[in-house]
Amino acid sequence: VQRLVESGGGSVQAGGSLRLSCQIYGNRWSSYCMGWFRQSPGQLREGVAAIDDADTTTYADAVKGRFTISQDNAKNTLYLQMNSLKPEDSAMYYCADGCADLEVAVTAINPLYNIWGQGTQVTVSS
């Protein structure tokens, strides 16, 4: 059974950086598409970034140029490097596996995944 465990969240000032990590335990649900989405209380999921098994990446417009998704298959770990953070980036961030399409994962309202972790909180103050 696959399990995803996120870490690296925290509180930072605007303009700061954080690096989120996602440790993947068990067999990968999908080797094709993994990603990160975020969610604030009372809001729908918002796709942030996605990556496929060829390391092709996609990003939501709101984070392009500031966030970088990457993976280390040898360590079974997915990363999200977040730079130039803004208060509007504050949310619970989730690592997820099994997106159907890289573009849909970052453009759809409430993008669907097969499995996701418990989340890690990111708070950016102005």
Side-chain angles (χ1 to χ4, degrees):
V1 177
Q2 186 184 35
R3 190 164 63 97
L4 307 175
V5 179
E6 303 93 336
S7 62
S11 297
V12 295
Q13 296 277 343
S17 298
L18 285 172
R19 188 194 196 201
L20 305 184
S21 298
C22 173
Q23 185 66 52
I24 305 161
Y25 296 97
N27 294 325
R28 290 275 295 270
W29 179 278
S30 163
S31 64
Y32 173 68
C33 183
M34 291 194 71
W36 294 87
F37 65 87
R38 62 191 182 187
Q39 190 168 22
S40 298
Q43 303 295 316
L44 295 174
R45 295 175 186 176
E46 178 187 12
V48 174
I51 187 168
D52 70 8
D53 55 354
D55 284 339
T56 302
T57 57
T58 55
Y59 297 91
D61 288 343
V63 307
K64 276 181 183 175
R66 300 188 297 121
F67 290 12
T68 303
I69 187 172
S70 62
Q71 59 189 343
D72 185 333
N73 292 324
K75 294 183 179 180
N76 259 0
T77 305
L78 185 71
Y79 301 100
L80 185 68
Q81 178 66 43
M82 305 187 296
N83 299 329
S84 301
L85 282 162
K86 304 175 181 179
E88 52 263 44
D89 293 320
S90 297
M92 187 72 81
Y93 282 71
Y94 298 86
C95 163
D97 194 9
C99 41
D101 180 90
L102 286 176
E103 285 296 329
V104 171
V106 298
T107 57
I109 296 173
N110 211 31
L112 297 179
Y113 283 89
N114 288 315
I115 188 170
W116 52 93
Q118 83 289 348
T120 186
Q121 179 67 41
V122 172
T123 303
V124 185
S125 57
S126 57

